[in-house]
């Protein structure tokens, strides 16, 4: 199959490798080195999509990141991705691309009726239409907008590709490998600086690949190749193509998006698809070049209309003609190179130049080649629906606001050039307030805020000679400051064409009684009339005009539309552009995939998994795990077909009747040492700590300075100046930071050191009436009687030859012990306990049973200590010392904490003794009251009491202490339940706490 | 992302640190009477200046030291960092 628009022997593609792909189901081929866009144009295909609002037919407009229209749904490597820029995506074997925003097909799109109803879609249409009534929002407006909005379809499949993040540091980051970027990187590299050179496209060289210039007697392309080859050979230089620096953040942190594997037909298992680089650069060279802007005219969005530089790039890089009967429409000299390119390939262009007849090097060359040049001319309106067929052109009068002559000429493409806009996005993101440069009608960087230097076209310098000189100097000077080495480099000789001045002309007037759409922003379908409406309706700030019309808000960030939009506003407002100002540039410069942002942090790699030394045993014994922060904890040990409810009931019951063991390794542990340790604990905890003897543990409560409970746990005095603190699993890290804060900042005079030992100790709780019997078997040589090892006692002893710590503490409310051994011995300890415990009916129990045990005892935990409760709310005011000062004490006197009806913990049981009360239920007086039903409290924890064989819950309730005996409703709209409950004491089992002391 | 110079470890990425608020707030002395107003000011009242701000950060994924950082809240420029025992300016 032939490609009707492919040139012979022109371009940088590899004609030895054909690549087949499909577009809207049609089988096509291109060559290695093509983009989807160049391959489609080579095949004569221009209609690629439908526009966002009016569903107008759209084709290619640019050849790179500036492309506003050609966003495709692309399937390759087994996944589907929306909004892929056809001008950037390289062709790979088997790729399949489809048009977006059209139904049933791009050729016949029902949504295009919007185009004929366009009077109903003016600026601010959505704001004006979808305002009221409120009830219409969910059922009518929102579904309509959702259906109409967006272009492609996001995949709901799991993304199987690999994405990576990389952190890098360098002396100089150079963004863009055009002539200025190459020169800066080269000069810096010669000074020994660590340089990263990033190029967005697959090929290095930027405009050197398409401009008719020579450097040191080499063609631009050959010079670029020579410099790149040398840079690649230098160990201090990293050269990256397919890499877009898309964000400039604080402290010279830049982010770069590297397309590592998207162009590969097959890649190895560990080759990522894309990689995100975080680059901390000492200095940054912004050599991002410039983007051509169009001139606005009627139906300027018709397929077949291109930026003139894009047409040149398709010709010179891809060997593709965008048409065979071209109109070149320009206000400056650069488009003449495109015209000369056509001519060289035996295509006859017509040049329409808005300027009056004059002469320059390029104009003279075009004339001498016999090209038809029409000065003071421009395109009024393009004709043709799905492709340009002809154009109505006009000769402008002297004021350029009406026409002296109008005629129609046949054409199959229009290449438009409205001069050049420096790509100042990164400079602006870095904090640089831009300034308006009258000479080029565009913004350029002004005073730098960070270590950034713009060079070349990005800085508004449009001649090669000046750009190279400036870039070599900056690359050399910036790097010399860092490396303190300066290598002299001679600036090369340059041969380039001299451009004449451009015409400050950006929008074609319309003849009387003609009103075709003149688009400013193609991607968001914003036309000249939309901006006129916005201004007529009183919008003045450019930021407001932008939001009201959506000008420049699409994924192309208005690269080809912003300045024309500003010019339009300035003209209507009779202001100059710098007074209107520009909108804010924000990262990302180009769209990047979500996968790249996420990187490897997916699934199990989302965060580290912490496992206790006994984890393997739990796994082998059918533990079902639950996440506790990063920890995996056994929730229950499943026997047979047991449900969670059945298993946890069995496990809890066994603790109440016999004995159970629980892995408590995850509890936070902090080692505290120093002569002032007791004084420190006395300030940190609400209760008294000065008199705790060695070998004893104490339960402690700590507050924040605002009086709210922060955490609870036991701390044991191991020796005179040595304590072992435990925290809840969830608060371990916060408590350590809290202690460090007070020791380092508030009371540095205290001689105390703290360190986390959570991972150093494995812990197991032994709980139940038979736990002492079991303990005596575990420690046959130790006196474990109630007298020798009383409640809150502590002993150190050998556990079958392994040093261990024994704490007589209890969370379950039963007679209980906690054994700690060094982590390496954790599994040994556990297995030994299982073996020795057999005769006492020992069973392991998980967090679900643990919760049941603590809830029915009325012991508070995370759900009650929820950052809103003070000690008396959770009946822990007995632990609050009146005699001494401590963190948060002064706050406890606040009025709201001491009102009579203050919230308090209570117990709840359902009247029917059967219905479990969902956690989070609201307690209300009247279940049928009108909403919002006044809330009297909430259910914090629920369990099935194994002791009483009915449901039991803890709740935090307003005026809780006076509610005992009263009846309410616990309502859960989420579970659609309403349960009548009675308020009882929060201590449902063993209220005197006899068991723990038995 | 900020680049913070820990006085103990050198320049490190922001993600190694956690923020700790205004460094100029002084806790009332322990075991000393304090008026409700002074206490409330200590617990709740903070200035939210635009511009220079001396603040605490903890090098949580590093040396675990709390440090002082003088930062511009609008531009994020960091003028100085110091140990908590040292004065800024
Ligand atoms: Zn540090």
């Amino acid at each position: 199959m032939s490609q009707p628009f492919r040139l012979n022997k022109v371009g940088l593609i590899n004609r030895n490798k054909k690549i087949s792909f499909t577009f809207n189901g049609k089988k096509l081929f291109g060559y290695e080195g093509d983009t989807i866009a160049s391959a489609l144009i080579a095949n004569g295909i221009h209609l690629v999509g439908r526009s966002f609002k009016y569903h107008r037919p759209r084709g290619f407009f640019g050849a790179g990141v500036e492309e506003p229209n050609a966003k495709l749904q692309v399937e390759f490597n087994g996944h589907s991705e929306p909004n892929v820029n056809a001008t950037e995506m390289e062709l790979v074997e088997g790729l399949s691309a489809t048009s977006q925003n059209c139904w049933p097909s791009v050729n016949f799109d029902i949504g295009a009726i919007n185009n004929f109803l366009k009077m109903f879609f003016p600026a601010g249409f959505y704001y004006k239409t979808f305002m009221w009534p409120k009830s219409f929002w969910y059922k009518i407006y929102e579904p309509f907008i959702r259906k109409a909005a967006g272009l492609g379809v996001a995949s709901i499949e799991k993304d199987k590709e690999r994405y990576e993040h990389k952190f890098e540091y360098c002396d100089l980051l150079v963004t863009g490998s055009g002539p200025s970027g190459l020169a800066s990187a080269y000069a810096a590299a010669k000074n020994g600086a660590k340089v990263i050179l990033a190029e967005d496209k697959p090929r290095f060289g930027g405009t050197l690949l398409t401009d008719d210039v020579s450097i040191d007697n080499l063609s631009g392309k050959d010079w670029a190749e020579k410099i790149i080859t040398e840079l690649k050979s230098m160990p201090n230089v990293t050269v990256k193509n397919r890499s877009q620096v898309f964000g400039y953040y604080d402290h010279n942190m830049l982010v770069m998006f590297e397309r590592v594997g998207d162009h590969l037909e097959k890649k190895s298992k560990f080759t990522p698809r894309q990689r995100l680089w975080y680059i901390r650069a000492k200095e940054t060279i912004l050599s991002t070049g410039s983007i051509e802007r169009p001139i606005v005219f009627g139906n300027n969005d018709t397929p077949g209309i291109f930026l003139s530089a894009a047409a040149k790039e398709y010709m010179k890089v891809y060997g593709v003609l965008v048409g065979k009967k071209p109109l070149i429409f320009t206000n400056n000299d650069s488009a003449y190179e495109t015209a000369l390119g056509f001519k060289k390939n035996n295509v006859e262009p017509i040049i329409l130049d808005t300027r009056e007849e004059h002469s320059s090097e390029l104009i003279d060359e075009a004339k001498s080649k016999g090209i038809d040049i029409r000065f003071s001319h421009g395109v009024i309106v393009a004709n043709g629906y799905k492709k340009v067929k002809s154009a109505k052109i006009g000769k402008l009068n002297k004021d350029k606001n009406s026409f002296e002559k109008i005629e129609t000429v046949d054409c199959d493409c229009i290449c438009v050039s409205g001069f050049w806009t420096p790509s100042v996005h990164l400079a602006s993101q870095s904090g640089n307030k831009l300034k308006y440069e009258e000479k080029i009608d565009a913004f350029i960087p002004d005073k730098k805020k960070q270590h950034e230097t713009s060079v070349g076209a990005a800085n508004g310098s449009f001649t090669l000679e000046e750009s190279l000189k400036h870039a070599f100097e900056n690359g050399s000077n910036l790097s010399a400051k860092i490396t303190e080495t300066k290598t002299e480099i001679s600036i090369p000789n340059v041969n380039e064409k001299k451009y004449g001045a451009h015409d400050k002309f950006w929008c074609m007037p319309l003849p009387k009684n003609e009103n075709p759409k003149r688009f400013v922003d193609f991607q968001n379908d914003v036309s000249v009339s939309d901006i006129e409406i916005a201004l007529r309706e009183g919008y003045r700030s450019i930021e407001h005009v932008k939001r009201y019309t959506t000008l420049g808000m699409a994924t192309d960030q208005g690269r080809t539309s912003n300045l024309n939009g500003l010019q339009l506003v300035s003209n209507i407002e009779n202001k100059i552009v710098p007074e209107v100002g520009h909108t804010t540039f924000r990262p990302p410069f180009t769209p990047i995939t979500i996968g790249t942002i996420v990187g490897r942090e997916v699934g199990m790699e989302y965060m580290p998994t912490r496992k206790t030394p006994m984890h393997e045993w739990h796994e082998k014994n059918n533990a079902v795990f639950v996440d506790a922060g990063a920890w995996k904890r056994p929730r229950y040990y499943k026997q047979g077909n047991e449900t969670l409810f059945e298993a946890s009931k069995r496990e809890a019951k066994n603790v109440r009747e016999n004995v159970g063991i629980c892995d408590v390794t995850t509890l936070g542990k902090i080692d505290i040492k120093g002569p002032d340790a007791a004084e420190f604990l006395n300030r940190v905890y609400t209760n008294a700590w000065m008199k705790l003897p060695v070998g004893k543990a104490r339960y402690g409560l700590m507050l924040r300075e605002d009086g709210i409970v922060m955490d609870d746990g036991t701390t044991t005095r191991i020796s005179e100046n040595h304590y072992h603190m435990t925290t809840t699993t969830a608060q371990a890290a916060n408590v350590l930071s809290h202690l460090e804060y007070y020791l380092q900042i508030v009371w540095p005079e205290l001689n105390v050191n703290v360190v986390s030992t959570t991972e150093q100790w494995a812990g197991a709780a032994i709980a139940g009436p038979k736990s002492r019997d079991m303990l005596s078997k575990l420690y046959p040589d130790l006196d474990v009687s109630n007298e020798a090892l009383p409640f809150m006692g502590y002993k150190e002893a050998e556990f079958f030859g392994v040093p261990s710590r024994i704490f007589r503490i209890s969370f379950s409310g039963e007679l209980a012990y906690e054994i700690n051994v060094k982590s390496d011995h954790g599994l040994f300890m556990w297995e030994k306990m299982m073996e020795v415990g057999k005769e006492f009916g020992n069973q392991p129990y998980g967090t679900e049973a643990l919760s049941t045990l603590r809830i029915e005892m009325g012991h508070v935990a995370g759900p009650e200590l929820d950052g809103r409760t003070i000690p008396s709310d959770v009946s822990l005011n007995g632990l609050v010392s009146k005699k001494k000062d401590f963190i948060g004490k002064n706050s406890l006197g606040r009025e709201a904490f001491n009102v009579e009806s203050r919230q308090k913990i209570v117990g709840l049981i359902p009247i029917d003794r059967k219905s479990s009360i969902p956690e989070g239920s609201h307690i209300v007086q009247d279940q049928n009251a009108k909403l919002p039903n006044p809330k009297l409290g909430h259910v914090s924890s629920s369990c099935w009491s194994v002791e009483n064989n009915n449901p039991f819950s803890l709740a935090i309730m307003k005026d809780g202490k006076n509610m005992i005996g009263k009846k309410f409703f616990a309502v859960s709209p989420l579970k659609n339940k309403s349960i009548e409950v009675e308020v009882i004491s929060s201590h449902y089992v063993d209220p005197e706490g006899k068991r723990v002391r038995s | 992302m900020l680049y913070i110079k820990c006085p103990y470890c050198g320049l490190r990425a922001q993600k190694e640190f956690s923020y700790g608020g205004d460094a100029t707030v002084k806790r009332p002395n322990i075991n000393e009477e304090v008026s409700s107003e002074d206490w409330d000011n200590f617990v709740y009242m903070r200035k939210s200046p635009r511009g220079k701000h001396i603040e605490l950060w903890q090098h949580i994924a590093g040396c675990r030291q709390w440090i002082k950082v003088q930062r511009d809240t609008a531009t994020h420029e960091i003028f100085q960092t110091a140990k908590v025992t040292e004065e800024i300016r």
Side-chain angles (χ1 to χ4, degrees):
Chain A
M1 204 175 83
S2 71
Q3 296 189 323
F5 290 87
R6 185 80 73 175
L7 294 163
N8 286 324
K9 292 176 188 168
V10 181
L12 309 175
I13 49 165
N14 176 14
R15 284 167 206 264
N16 296 321
K17 193 171 175 201
K18 273 193 183 184
I19 294 180
S20 54
F21 69 107
T22 69
F23 176 66
N24 288 334
K26 193 173 171 195
K27 269 201 98 156
L28 297 163
F29 81 89
Y31 294 106
E32 186 178 65
D34 261 330
T35 60
I36 300 177
S38 65
L40 286 174
I41 299 167
N43 283 287
I45 294 170
H46 287 261
L47 174 60
V48 284
R50 292 280 174 158
S51 76
F52 182 61
K53 211 157 66 176
Y54 304 120
H55 292 249
R56 285 166 71 106
R58 289 285 165 84
F60 306 98
F61 187 65
V65 295
E66 73 280 10
E67 174 60 45
N69 295 330
K71 316 282 169 185
L72 300 175
Q73 185 89 25
V74 172
E75 277 170 52
F76 66 109
N77 260 339
H79 59 78
S80 182
E81 192 165 311
N83 305 326
V84 171
N85 214 351
T87 56
E88 292 183 85
M89 175 86 198
E90 291 168 74
L91 210 55
V92 278
E93 184 66 35
L95 173 151
S96 137
T98 43
S99 298
Q100 301 181 154
N101 204 32
C102 54
W103 185 84
S105 79
V106 71
N107 262 309
F108 177 71
D109 175 15
I110 286 185
I113 196 155
N114 288 355
N115 188 29
F116 302 103
L117 302 175
K118 61 195 166 203
M119 56 287 233
F120 299 125
F121 285 87
F125 167 74
Y126 293 113
Y127 299 114
K128 285 169 185 160
T129 310
F130 301 116
M131 297 251 294
W132 51 271
K134 198 178 157 199
S135 59
F136 271 35
W137 182 253
Y138 296 106
K139 292 213 170 80
I140 298 167
Y141 297 152
E142 192 185 332
F144 175 81
I145 292 174
R146 283 198 184 282
K147 212 169 145 226
L151 294 167
V153 182
S155 173
I156 54 165
E157 301 292 320
K158 189 182 161 173
D159 191 340
K160 294 186 198 80
E161 295 280 357
R162 184 183 171 101
Y163 301 86
E164 283 180 357
H165 287 183
K166 185 177 165 75
F167 293 81
E168 197 53 86
Y169 298 81
C170 65
D171 295 327
L172 188 72
L173 170 64
V174 181
T175 63
S177 74
S180 304
L182 288 175
S184 303
Y186 187 77
K190 284 285 179 193
N191 283 344
K194 192 177 173 194
V195 176
I196 298 176
L197 172 63
E199 169 56 45
D200 153 48
K201 295 200 169 185
R203 297 169 187 84
F204 295 100
T207 52
L208 291 175
L209 300 179
T210 51
D211 281 0
D212 191 10
V213 295
S214 73
I215 306 173
D216 274 351
N217 299 322
L218 293 173
S219 73
K221 179 181 151 286
D222 290 346
W223 185 79
E225 209 166 290
K226 188 189 123 196
I227 297 287
I228 279 292
T229 309
E230 192 172 344
L231 286 173
K232 279 182 176 166
S233 72
M234 297 169 83
N236 53 326
V237 181
T238 305
V239 169
K240 281 280 159 194
N241 56 343
R242 301 186 174 92
S243 296
Q244 174 83 59
V245 176
F246 67 88
Y248 200 136
Y249 294 90
D250 294 310
H251 299 182
N252 252 46
M253 159 69 81
L254 292 99
V255 283
M256 180 168 92
F257 172 60
E258 183 189 1
R259 304 185 304 275
V260 187
D262 281 351
H263 63 293
L264 301 175
E265 193 183 325
K266 280 201 185 80
K267 50 182 197 280
S268 75
K269 192 180 164 196
F270 297 110
T271 303
R273 181 184 167 211
Q274 291 157 349
R275 184 180 285 136
L276 183 67
W277 294 55
Y278 293 89
I279 302 171
R280 187 79 70 172
K282 289 194 182 122
E283 293 285 344
T284 306
I285 289 276
L286 302 176
S287 46
T288 44
S290 58
I291 288 174
E292 198 170 26
R293 56 179 182 262
I295 303 172
V296 178
F297 58 91
N299 293 340
N300 54 342
D301 63 330
T302 312
I305 298 173
F306 285 83
L307 287 169
S308 102
K312 188 169 75 172
E313 189 169 337
Y314 284 118
M315 215 169 346
K316 294 203 171 180
V317 174
Y318 303 101
V320 168
L321 289 174
V322 300
K324 292 181 180 173
K325 217 189 256 177
L327 270 187
I328 313 287
F329 177 25
T330 185
N331 68 1
N332 69 89
D333 277 6
S334 64
Y336 281 73
E337 289 200 20
T338 308
L340 288 164
F342 275 115
K343 180 80 188 176
K344 202 173 160 190
N345 288 297
N346 305 316
V347 173
E348 294 297 331
I350 301 172
I351 299 176
L352 307 177
D353 192 328
T354 62
R355 298 172 294 186
E356 284 170 30
E357 171 134 27
H358 67 294
S359 132
S360 77
E361 209 176 332
L362 273 159
I363 293 172
D364 295 348
E365 189 179 338
K367 275 186 183 162
S368 73
K369 295 256 159 78
I371 295 177
D372 181 355
I373 308 173
R374 304 186 190 179
F375 291 102
S376 297
H377 268 74
V379 177
I380 299 166
V381 59
N383 300 322
Y385 183 56
K386 289 175 191 169
K387 180 74 196 295
V388 178
K389 288 190 184 115
S390 65
K392 193 184 275 184
I393 65 170
K395 181 163 194 224
L396 291 153
N397 68 352
K398 211 164 168 38
D399 293 334
K400 292 181 182 161
N401 56 11
S402 68
F403 301 99
E404 289 176 1
K405 197 178 108 191
I406 292 175
E407 62 182 309
T408 298
V409 293
D410 284 350
C411 62
D412 67 351
C413 70
I414 300 173
C415 306
V416 58
S417 176
F419 209 51
W420 295 85
T421 307
S423 289
V424 292
H425 301 66
L426 290 174
S428 171
Q429 286 177 25
S430 79
N432 194 315
K433 299 268 177 267
L434 310 172
K435 66 178 176 205
Y436 189 71
E437 185 74 279
E438 194 93 39
K439 210 175 91 195
I440 58 167
D441 296 327
F443 289 94
I444 60 170
D446 194 5
K447 253 204 249 116
K448 55 179 87 173
K449 279 271 153 61
Q450 298 201 37
H451 293 276
E452 111 276 357
T453 307
S454 293
V455 296
N459 198 37
S461 153
F462 293 144
T463 72
L464 184 59
E465 191 175 0
E466 184 193 339
S467 294
L468 278 182
K469 187 167 171 284
H470 188 232
F472 270 115
E473 278 169 10
N474 272 291
S476 179
N477 294 341
L478 291 167
S479 57
K481 266 193 295 176
I482 300 166
T483 63
E484 291 170 356
T485 314
K486 192 148 185 175
T487 311
E488 284 306 322
I489 303 171
S490 59
I491 294 164
N493 291 319
V494 169
N495 202 334
E496 63 181 319
K497 302 243 162 67
K498 292 214 166 37
Y499 283 20
H502 77 286
D503 187 9
K504 291 174 181 296
F505 182 87
W506 54 276
C507 181
M508 280 296 277
L510 289 174
K512 278 205 176 85
N513 304 323
E514 283 195 40
N515 197 20
K517 281 258 172 210
R518 290 175 296 172
F519 284 95
V520 181
D521 181 329
F522 297 108
Q523 207 181 353
N524 266 354
D525 268 358
V526 181
S527 66
V528 173
S529 59
D530 289 323
I531 295 171
E532 286 167 351
I533 289 171
L535 291 164
R536 210 155 56 226
E537 292 182 358
Y539 290 87
R540 289 295 175 271
S541 151
I542 188 67
E543 292 283 0
H544 292 165
V545 172
K546 165 181 161 181
R547 279 160 185 77
Y548 195 58
T549 61
T550 69
L551 171 72
M553 284 174 71
T555 63
D556 70 344
Q557 295 208 341
R559 276 188 262 283
T560 54
S561 65
N562 279 341
L563 271 169
N564 283 339
L566 277 176
Q567 292 284 12
L568 186 55
V569 173
S570 312
N571 276 25
I572 298 169
E573 293 279 284
N574 272 325
K575 281 181 184 167
I576 49 171
V577 170
E579 280 174 24
V580 175
H582 61 88
T583 54
T584 314
F585 295 97
R586 291 192 176 86
F589 174 64
T590 49
I592 61 168
T593 58
I594 299 283
T596 305
I597 297 169
V598 174
R600 303 282 324 274
E601 292 165 27
V602 287
M604 289 304 287
E605 274 79 47
Y606 177 66
M607 63 178 186
T609 304
R610 298 176 86 180
K611 296 175 182 171
T612 78
M614 292 83 105
H615 188 85
E616 206 180 308
W617 188 94
H618 303 320
E619 267 181 337
K620 274 189 209 146
N621 288 274
N622 297 327
V624 176
F625 291 93
V626 62
D627 291 336
W631 288 102
K632 294 276 173 207
R633 298 194 73 180
R635 192 173 184 192
Y636 63 100
Y637 300 83
K638 191 178 171 113
Q639 291 186 1
N641 291 326
E642 270 180 337
T643 61
L644 161 71
F645 178 66
E646 289 160 353
S648 62
K649 223 161 82 170
R650 167 182 54 74
E651 290 170 8
K653 211 155 180 281
N654 190 58
V655 172
R656 292 270 183 253
E657 286 166 5
N658 299 306
V659 60
I661 62 170
C662 181
D663 185 349
V664 293
T665 304
T666 63
L667 280 186
K669 304 176 204 78
I670 298 169
D671 211 52
I672 303 174
K673 278 182 177 167
D676 297 320
E679 172 64 25
F680 181 53
L681 290 171
N682 210 42
R683 295 178 185 188
V684 166
Y685 282 128
T686 59
N687 44 341
W689 284 80
M690 297 307 284
K691 288 177 184 155
L692 181 72
V694 173
K696 283 278 185 191
R698 183 164 285 174
Y699 177 71
L701 191 67
M702 53 177 91
L703 308 185
R704 312 189 309 213
E705 292 285 19
D706 62 1
I708 299 290
V709 178
M710 180 177 180
D711 199 41
D712 67 340
T714 57
T715 292
T716 306
R717 193 166 195 175
I718 305 287
S719 67
E720 181 64 22
N721 294 327
H722 183 192
Y723 291 80
H724 172 82
M725 175 186 275
T726 65
T727 73
T728 57
T729 301
Q731 290 292 334
N734 289 345
V735 170
L736 184 66
S737 273
H738 178 77
L739 300 182
E740 286 165 337
Y741 173 86
Y742 284 93
L743 286 173
Q744 292 174 27
I745 295 169
V746 185
W747 304 311
E749 69 278 10
L750 294 183
N751 188 353
V752 180
N753 276 297
V754 293
V755 68
S756 166
T757 54
T758 301
E759 311 239 306
Q760 276 65 37
W761 297 100
I766 310 175
K770 294 181 186 165
S771 58
R772 183 179 292 122
D773 298 341
M774 184 170 150
L775 193 73
S776 68
K777 284 266 172 145
L778 292 169
Y779 295 92
D781 302 331
L782 191 70
D783 181 359
V784 296
S785 66
N786 203 22
E787 294 70 37
L789 182 55
F791 180 53
M792 289 293 178
Y794 167 75
K795 274 194 189 306
E796 288 168 17
E798 296 238 315
F799 180 96
F800 300 99
V802 170
S804 73
R805 292 172 166 184
I806 311 165
F807 306 85
R808 188 172 160 190
I809 53 179
S810 175
F811 188 57
S812 56
E814 289 297 327
L815 171 66
Y817 304 86
E818 222 175 278
I819 317 290
N820 282 5
V821 294
K822 298 228 168 88
S823 293
D824 288 349
H825 304 304
L827 186 59
F828 166 77
M829 168 182 71
W830 187 267
E831 284 175 338
K832 214 70 191 160
M833 285 178 172
M834 286 307 298
E835 182 189 318
V836 171
K838 248 180 226 157
E839 61 175 292
F840 308 104
N842 173 48
Q843 285 181 19
Y845 64 100
T847 56
E848 199 69 22
L850 184 69
S851 293
T852 295
L853 296 166
R854 71 98 186 161
I855 291 167
E856 62 176 3
M857 282 283 171
H859 290 177
V860 295
E864 288 76 36
L865 309 181
D866 63 355
R868 292 180 290 184
T869 46
I870 56 170
S872 61
D873 296 348
V874 286
S875 291
L876 291 174
N877 32 330
L879 288 170
V880 178
S881 168
K882 295 217 161 47
K883 294 189 192 120
K884 57 139 199 177
D885 198 2
F886 53 82
I887 293 169
K889 180 173 191 176
N890 281 303
S891 292
L892 293 179
R894 296 177 67 83
E895 202 179 317
F897 289 171
N898 293 285
V899 292
E900 189 52 30
S901 61
R902 176 77 195 171
Q903 62 176 5
K904 185 145 190 129
I905 188 168
V906 295
L908 298 179
I909 45 169
I911 301 293
D912 67 4
R913 298 292 192 275
K914 281 199 216 81
S915 308
S916 285
I917 307 162
E919 287 173 351
S921 295
H922 282 196
I923 302 164
V924 300
Q925 185 80 56
D926 174 4
Q927 60 172 339
N928 299 316
K930 216 180 124 211
L931 295 174
N933 197 343
K935 175 190 156 190
L936 307 173
H938 73 277
V939 176
S940 55
S941 301
S942 286
C943 72
W944 184 277
S945 167
V946 289
E947 186 94 3
N948 297 301
N949 201 26
N950 57 254
F952 174 72
S953 295
L954 294 176
I956 307 284
M957 209 179 162
K958 201 173 179 206
D959 198 16
K961 64 178 182 298
N962 294 318
M963 294 296 154
I964 308 285
K966 294 186 178 162
K967 287 178 185 166
F968 296 96
F969 290 92
V971 295
S972 170
L974 275 179
K975 301 241 157 118
N976 200 19
K977 272 188 181 168
S978 176
I979 296 160
E980 194 175 13
V981 294
E982 184 186 339
V983 179
I984 60 169
S985 158
S986 60
H987 298 287
Y988 197 32
V989 172
D990 189 24
E992 293 88 32
K994 283 183 190 154
R995 296 181 190 178
V996 292
R997 293 180 173 79
S998 65
Chain B
M1 198 180 355
L2 307 186
Y3 210 22
I4 301 172
K5 189 174 179 181
C6 171
Y8 303 92
C9 311
L11 277 166
R12 298 299 178 103
Q14 182 186 345
K15 61 199 296 186
E16 293 185 14
F17 295 83
S18 77
Y19 180 68
D22 187 344
T24 62
V25 173
K26 199 180 170 311
R27 189 191 190 279
N29 287 337
I30 193 118
N31 294 319
E32 271 178 30
E33 277 291 311
V34 53
S35 71
S36 294
E37 199 187 336
D38 287 350
W39 182 257
D40 290 351
N41 281 338
F42 157 65
V43 176
Y44 296 106
M45 305 307 273
R46 295 290 181 274
K47 286 191 179 123
S48 182
R50 181 190 165 88
K52 281 187 181 177
H53 186 234
I54 301 174
E55 55 206 16
L56 292 169
W57 289 76
Q58 189 184 15
H59 195 189
I60 205 144
C63 63
R64 293 206 63 90
Q65 293 300 303
W66 286 87
I67 62 167
K68 283 182 188 167
V69 176
Q70 188 186 37
R71 180 180 65 101
D72 189 305
T73 57
T75 65
H76 293 311
E77 184 177 353
I78 290 177
F79 307 99
Q80 208 182 334
T81 59
K83 300 175 180 176
V84 285
T85 50
E86 296 168 348
E87 287 302 313
I88 283 200
R89 280 295 124 97

